[in-house]
Amino acid sequence: MTLVALDGVGKRFASGTEALRGVDLRIERGEFLSLLGPSGCGKSTLLRLIAGLAEPSSGRITRAASRQVGFVFQEATLLPWSDALTNVRLPLRLAGVARAEQEARAAEALAQVGLGGFERAYPRELSGGMRMRVSIARALVTRPSLLLMDEPFAALDELTRHRLNDDLLALWAGSGVTVVFVTHSVFESVYLSSRILVMAARPGRIAAELLVEEPAPRP
Ligand code: ADP
Ligand code: ADP
């Protein structure tokens, strides 16, 4: 089943920059898709179009009904004055979910990312990797069908990054969630993905598609 379909999608900004040209893409339910390319090739723009946060200047984007989208950005954008549980339950609070259910689901999401027991910790008390885990929990707490990740691990040290790669794969495996993962790391894209779109710049476009035939061993 196709979650999002892009047909001949282009994006030109008012500045004149042609960020994307002629993008044809089908995002299938349950896949782990990477967008790989140098900075400036339009990865973030494409992710925002997929999310519906921006409109294309040409072409068409079609979305399956009833899709909940979760986001994870490079900077773990947590509220510094709120503990981990409060940060994670924020999307549920905004959605009007009852307080007891907010807390139960937020605690469950924290446990899923390996942070059981850290509910009352404040962001400043957590390492960069742990703050990223809180961000992932916050994205997962709404049980999204589509998880969009924009270079989430780029600022982390290599060891932390490898651990997060493994844990993300474990979370994704069998969850049914569709992941679109933006990276400029060839290693990361090959390690994580079932499909890689290699992008090129000026204008931003999909230059090649790689199917990872022999998937990396799943933890
Ligand atoms: P990437 O994520 O691959 O680094 P982006 O999607 O951020 O690439 O940007 C693609 C191109 O579009 C770049 O040349 C960038 O400078 C330009 N761009 C991105 N956002 C805007 C904007 N809001 N206005 C004008 N130009 C933009
Ligand atoms: P609820 O019981 O509706 O889930 P909370 O107990 O989370 O609400 O919050 C109670 C009040 O405190 C709300 O008005 C909310 O806006 C405010 N509040 C909660 N957390 C924060 C925060 N981190 N920063 C600022 N205000 C907050």
Side-chain angles (χ1 to χ4, degrees):
M1 182 216 176
T2 303
L3 279 190
V4 187
L6 289 82
D7 292 290
V9 163
K11 180 70 176 179
R12 184 185 285 278
F13 290 106
S15 62
T17 302
E18 192 177 7
L20 291 172
R21 182 190 288 180
V23 173
D24 295 313
L25 167 62
R26 266 156 187 63
I27 299 171
E28 302 298 340
R29 180 179 291 281
E31 75 171 319
F32 198 127
L33 176 67
S34 281
L35 305 178
L36 172 71
S39 54
C41 70
K43 302 184 295 297
S44 298
T45 301
L46 182 52
L47 207 62
R48 284 203 299 278
L49 289 170
I50 290 168
L53 293 174
E55 290 301 315
S57 359
S58 54
R60 217 159 70 95
I61 302 180
T62 325
R63 294 186 178 79
S66 75
R67 100 225 113 81
Q68 177 80 43
V69 180
F71 277 97
V72 178
F73 303 101
Q74 180 174 329
E75 305 302 330
T77 51
L78 304 176
L79 300 176
W81 58 83
S82 297
D83 63 25
L85 191 77
T86 306
N87 268 286
V88 172
R89 70 185 177 84
L90 182 61
L92 300 178
R93 197 167 89 198
L94 296 176
V97 171
R99 174 69 182 261
E101 191 184 341
Q102 291 175 27
E103 298 202 333
R105 282 172 59 181
E108 186 189 326
L110 280 169
Q112 264 188 307
V113 299
L115 286 183
F118 287 90
E119 293 81 5
R120 294 297 162 208
Y122 285 81
R124 67 174 173 276
E125 301 171 315
L126 300 171
S127 68
M130 291 163 96
R131 286 199 293 270
M132 179 49 64
R133 289 171 189 273
V134 176
S135 290
I136 295 171
R138 185 183 54 190
L140 291 175
V141 79
T142 58
R143 298 175 184 146
S145 51
L146 185 57
L147 179 62
L148 304 178
M149 307 184 83
D150 197 350
E151 300 198 39
F153 308 148
L156 301 173
D157 69 82
E158 212 173 337
L159 183 59
T160 302
R161 193 169 171 157
H162 282 244
R163 289 201 177 119
L164 276 160
N165 280 337
D166 280 344
D167 292 351
L168 177 60
L169 273 182
L171 270 176
W172 167 77
S175 70
V177 71
T178 306
V179 180
V180 181
F181 190 97
V182 167
T183 182
H184 51 244
S185 162
V186 173
F187 170 86
E188 203 165 56
S189 66
V190 172
Y191 190 70
L192 291 172
S193 321
S194 41
R195 185 157 70 112
I196 302 168
L197 299 177
V198 183
M199 297 182 65
R202 276 182 289 280
R205 62 198 184 279
I206 296 173
E209 175 176 329
L210 305 175
L211 297 179
V212 183
E213 292 270 349
E214 201 67 47
R218 307 296 187 206

